[in-house]
Amino acid sequence: MALPVLYIVIPCYNEEAVLPLTSGLFLKKLTSLIAAGRVAGSSRVLFVNDGSKDGTWPIIQKLSGEDVHFEGISLSRNRGHQNALLAGLMTAKALADVTISIDCDGQDDIDAMDAMLAEYEAGCDVVYGVRSARTTDTFFKRSTARGFYKFMRALGVEMVYDHADYRLISRRALEGLAQFKEVNLFLRGMVPLVGYRSSSIYYERHERVAGESHYPLKKMVSFAFDGVTSLSVRPIRLITWLGFLISLISLVAIIVVIVQYFLGMTTTGWSSTLVAIFFMGGVQLLSLGVIGEYIGKIYSETKARPRFIISEKTFDETAAAPDSAATPGKDSPNAP
Ligand code: UDP
Ligand code: MG
């Protein structure tokens, strides 16, 4: 059997401080895998420049000029980590047998790739990288992240605990993922929905080698919120139940009011009326907000805007086509 072509897909946004430090590590890993005869010589490191405003893209271009194993694509503007990652994966889908996605900041242990490939060789289509310890995260980030995974699970979203976006995906699993047309991307919730055999490998997460996280608390919260509303309709159902519960309480209250009327105690109750009004007002606004969140999602899904636009590539796909078509051509004898 021919060796699989591996593409390491790396989204980068304003990482000029990081790339010169980590790119060498990725290259070393890839060339050692090639030398060990585990992946094909045409395997590549594919950087995705997510509309960086600093020198990230020139660095990627320079790297690709220096070593054939480096390739890059550039998005027309900043679209966020998830979209950038999807752009890379969808580009790699046409060129690779298997992909591994990883952040460019050196936080994820590059050496875990060997174990991932071993799982792939054993027949897995998806291998999740799971953090065995979160010692480098602050207590706050650690506990909020843990709480988030628990919350997502409670809402019925199938998600791998403590897994970020460091994962191996085979070509056929990527083809499955390509059929998910949603615009609101939350890849770590979507990949389990693709199915196929999967497994997890464990690694320790390090400190960022340089630069700063692009996910401050505010962004983390909105990412979590998007995750919930993109993958679960349970909050809406909870609102329905809340409605039932409040209707029931109201029924009891109505009976109390009627009884009081007949007992001639109708002038009291100013405070209870106000409490009920405030409470109902709050519940209704909250419920409207949650439902509005879903309507917002429907709005962006129906517009079906492109999830990413690739503006530049360091490689010429028309030149690469005859080469990459050569292999699939063998199993399509009808090709002219
Ligand atoms: N990233 C991106 N687009 C963005 C923000 C981040 O492509 O709009 C990339 C970033 O360059 C990095 C990865 O996504 O490779 C994860 O970002 P970061 O390390 O800032 O997040 P954290 O690890 O702190 O959650
Ligand atoms: Mg990071």
Side-chain angles (χ1 to χ4, degrees), residues 10-15 48-52 78-82 84-85 102-105 107-108 131 137 141 164 188 205 208 212-216 219-220:
I10 309 170
C12 311
Y13 176 56
N14 292 350
E15 301 281 15
V48 182
N49 170 39
D50 185 14
S52 299
N78 179 244
R79 293 291 285 122
H81 177 213
Q82 299 289 295
L85 184 52
I102 187 168
D103 291 352
C104 70
D105 56 15
Q107 282 190 286
D108 301 318
R131 297 166 203 170
D137 282 342
K141 179 145 187 170
R188 58 192 90 158
R205 190 161 154 106
R208 221 173 202 284
E212 266 172 30
S213 169
H214 301 96
Y215 282 92
K219 260 183 150 179
M220 252 165 58

Side-chain angles (χ1 to χ4, degrees), residues 1-6 37-43 96-98 117 120-121:
M1 211 186 86
L3 290 173
V5 177
L6 168 70
R38 295 190 65 186
V39 299
S42 52
S43 298
D97 297 306
V98 58
L117 275 172
Y120 170 73
E121 285 153 10

Side-chain angles (χ1 to χ4, degrees), residues 169-190:
I169 312 182
S170 72
R171 192 212 312 240
R172 66 172 183 171
L174 280 180
E175 272 157 10
L177 187 67
Q179 292 176 45
F180 287 66
K181 299 290 181 204
E182 58 215 76
V183 178
N184 295 289
L185 291 178
F186 193 74
L187 289 169
R188 58 192 90 158
M190 287 159 66

